[in-house]
Amino acid sequence: MRRFFTGLLACLALALPMTAASTTTASAAAQTDACASGHVCIYKGDIWDGSSNHAKVYDFYYYRTYNVQNLVGDYTILNCQTGGARVQGWTGYNATGSVAWDIGNNCSSGLWTDLTPTNSVRVYA
């Protein structure tokens, strides 16, 4: 029985790299809770790493400023808005302080960055 499990584990070890290598960017995004067209979504971690365990922590739709909390570490931001809408991260609440990041539509690539200094997010046209 022990040989069976040792052989099984060896086979799995050989199979896993092949599975990870064949994962594409599109399927990695599909495994994560999708960001709908017209939305700006923030996910914990790098959603393009092939893992399916990246929680969506924020999902914004309307043009306005949103105060955010507890964004410590690396996150992925997807701007799936249409019509040239942009999104900014601000160091202070209510879009005060300085702009930490500013992105246009990036739904297919995302921005993976440290959001620790971000305290508010502004969605604007």
Side-chain angles (χ1 to χ4, degrees):
M1 188 69 157
R2 186 174 179 179
R3 266 190 212 167
F4 171 76
F5 285 116
T6 304
L8 179 62
L9 290 175
C11 288
L12 287 175
L14 291 174
L16 287 177
M18 294 300 288
T19 302
S22 65
T23 300
T24 63
T25 302
S27 66
Q31 294 172 0
T32 304
D33 189 14
C35 190
S37 178
H39 291 248
V40 173
C41 303
I42 299 177
Y43 297 89
K44 180 66 178 159
D46 177 8
I47 65 170
W48 310 114
D49 69 1
S51 171
S52 62
N53 60 352
H54 298 290
K56 184 190 305 181
V57 293
Y58 286 102
D59 188 331
F60 307 120
Y61 180 74
Y62 296 102
Y63 291 157
R64 66 178 232 188
T65 299
Y66 300 87
N67 289 326
V68 295
Q69 298 177 11
N70 302 320
L71 294 177
V72 177
D74 293 335
Y75 289 80
T76 301
I77 305 139
L78 293 181
N79 180 4
C80 297
Q81 300 251 338
T82 57
R86 297 189 64 84
V87 60
Q88 295 175 324
W90 287 79
T91 59
Y93 290 106
N94 300 315
T96 61
S98 60
V99 175
W101 46 270
D102 185 353
I103 55 175
N105 184 293
N106 71 349
C107 198
S108 62
S109 61
L111 171 65
W112 181 43
T113 190
D114 180 6
L115 292 187
T116 303
T118 303
N119 287 299
S120 60
V121 173
R122 178 177 170 239
V123 180
Y124 68 103

